Amino acid sequence: MAATLESAESAEGTGHHHGNQRQREHQRLTIGGKGSAAGQFKHPFGVAVSDDGEIFVADCGNKRIQVFTLQGSFVRQFPTAVPGKGRMFVSDVALDAVGNLWVMQWAKYSKDFEHVVQYSPQGRMLRKIDLKRTYIHRGVAVNTLTNHILITQITRDENNDTYGELLVYRPDGTFVRTLGVEEEMVSPWSIAVTEDGNIYVSDNNKSYIYVYNKDGQFLFKFGGNGSGEGQLKYPRGICADKAGNIVVADASNSRVEMFDKNGGFLKHITTDIETPWIPAMTMQGQLVVTDDVKNTVEIFH
């Protein structure tokens, strides 16, 4: 499916503007639409962008990873499969320091383990880490400073109450530590890591972003439930740019917000994505966002 280029200017009701600067700022490219053909999606969730500009999309319902250029052209795809278990649903994808992928996946009706699987960029499986079955969304990120794999986990108890934590592993599957229990996270959804190794975790239920240093020490939280500037309502995905700013998919407010590394509100990047799911930043400063409702990937230039 061909990508479409448009300006988000009219969607924000900005009226007429002299010159073309504002239009350039809000120009965006839309990839996809619902379907199973190459370039189409069935619930696109996680997204990651490599240093050389390849976009990797976790196409959950189609049980695959799709790869695109920054211009929206389809490049390739590969199934998310584990030997002996067949193709599996996929919720998130992250890149490590050498460009390999870490993909979170599960089989919907299986009572077996969930897995985070490492693939080469071409889709060759390299290794996997088995995880406790939760049936609830998980996020994955890589802290390239410590070479740790970070995984969210949401668990329901016998009263159907949920509690959350962040699991830390080495790439060989060795468990390192758990974060978030003392801060009483409920529904950790997504993870971002800045170049200095600080870890940011979005809590979809509490509408806060929790911040830890590279050693796992809790530093602070920001956000809080609401629709005002700097507030969040059921935040989902989160990512960091090269400057250490934090970008949050503020799902129920239908917008994407940017904060500085200390949690200070900077701006609304866009306010017209129906259900932003996971954002990713490119090396060139473009924003890539998955939209679960429209089954599209939006690239903001």
Side-chain angles (χ1 to χ4, degrees):
M1 174 170 285
T4 59
L5 183 65
E6 64 180 276
S7 169
E9 183 179 22
S10 59
E12 297 195 21
T14 53
H16 298 286
H17 291 269
H18 298 290
N20 60 5
Q21 180 179 2
R22 185 177 181 86
Q23 182 169 340
R24 285 201 307 270
E25 289 174 351
H26 290 82
Q27 194 176 62
R28 75 183 185 190
L29 192 68
T30 298
I31 306 172
K34 188 173 184 179
S36 57
Q40 295 180 323
F41 304 107
K42 190 182 294 183
H43 303 299
F45 288 164
V47 62
V49 184
S50 66
D51 290 348
D52 57 0
E54 286 195 325
I55 301 171
F56 297 86
V57 182
D59 188 4
C60 177
N62 287 318
K63 301 178 182 178
R64 64 187 179 186
I65 298 293
Q66 293 201 70
V67 188
F68 301 85
T69 68
L70 288 176
Q71 292 72 42
S73 299
F74 174 80
V75 179
R76 63 185 178 277
Q77 61 179 322
F78 61 86
T80 48
V82 171
K85 302 185 185 301
R87 297 178 65 158
M88 304 181 75
F89 293 100
V90 54
S91 64
D92 204 6
V93 57
L95 287 158
D96 62 21
V98 297
N100 290 322
L101 308 175
W102 288 88
V103 179
M104 184 61 60
Q105 54 194 59
W106 77 100
K108 186 174 183 179
Y109 300 109
S110 172
K111 294 183 179 180
D112 206 344
F113 293 103
E114 295 170 347
H115 314 277
V116 60
V117 183
Q118 186 187 40
Y119 294 96
S120 73
Q122 303 299 323
R124 182 170 62 90
M125 181 178 166
L126 303 175
R127 67 178 87 183
K128 70 179 175 72
I129 300 173
D130 295 332
L131 304 166
K132 183 177 76 172
R133 184 73 172 168
T134 65
Y135 297 91
I136 306 176
H137 173 89
R138 287 182 186 265
V140 61
V142 179
N143 191 334
T144 57
L145 199 65
T146 60
N147 199 29
H148 286 160
I149 312 303
L150 311 174
I151 302 163
T152 61
Q153 178 166 286
I154 307 169
T155 305
R156 285 196 180 105
D157 62 19
E158 61 275 9
N159 298 317
N160 210 34
D161 294 325
T162 61
Y163 62 92
E165 53 199 337
L166 183 68
L167 309 179
V168 183
Y169 288 87
R170 295 190 181 94
D172 63 3
T174 303
F175 179 73
V176 178
R177 67 171 69 93
T178 296
L179 306 177
V181 176
E182 292 184 1
E183 291 71 53
E184 298 182 339
M185 284 196 293
V186 173
S187 184
W189 198 263
S190 183
I191 313 151
V193 184
T194 54
E195 288 192 342
D196 59 4
N198 281 355
I199 301 163
Y200 294 74
V201 186
S202 62
D203 190 315
N204 181 249
N205 182 283
K206 286 191 167 183
S207 295
Y208 277 108
I209 308 299
Y210 293 83
V211 186
Y212 301 83
N213 68 15
K214 63 181 177 63
D215 299 315
Q217 178 185 355
F218 175 69
L219 300 177
F220 60 92
K221 65 181 180 181
F222 64 91
N225 187 60
S227 56
E229 288 190 352
Q231 293 182 311
L232 304 166
K233 189 177 289 185
Y234 300 113
R236 288 181 177 160
I238 184 172
C239 71
D241 68 10
K242 298 296 288 185
N245 298 315
I246 306 303
V247 178
V248 183
D250 189 8
S252 290
N253 284 322
S254 297
R255 65 193 185 190
V256 179
E257 296 188 69
M258 178 178 279
F259 299 83
D260 65 28
K261 64 181 180 180
N262 298 313
F265 174 77
L266 295 177
K267 62 181 176 180
H268 297 127
I269 297 178
T270 180
T271 59
D272 68 340
I273 296 183
E274 188 172 350
T275 310
W277 199 271
I278 304 283
M281 294 293 295
T282 73
M283 292 288 288
Q284 297 77 20
Q286 294 121 316
L287 174 69
V288 183
V289 187
T290 55
D291 188 325
D292 174 53
V293 170
K294 292 183 178 179
N295 288 288
T296 59
V297 173
E298 310 286 343
I299 306 173
F300 291 86
H301 293 276

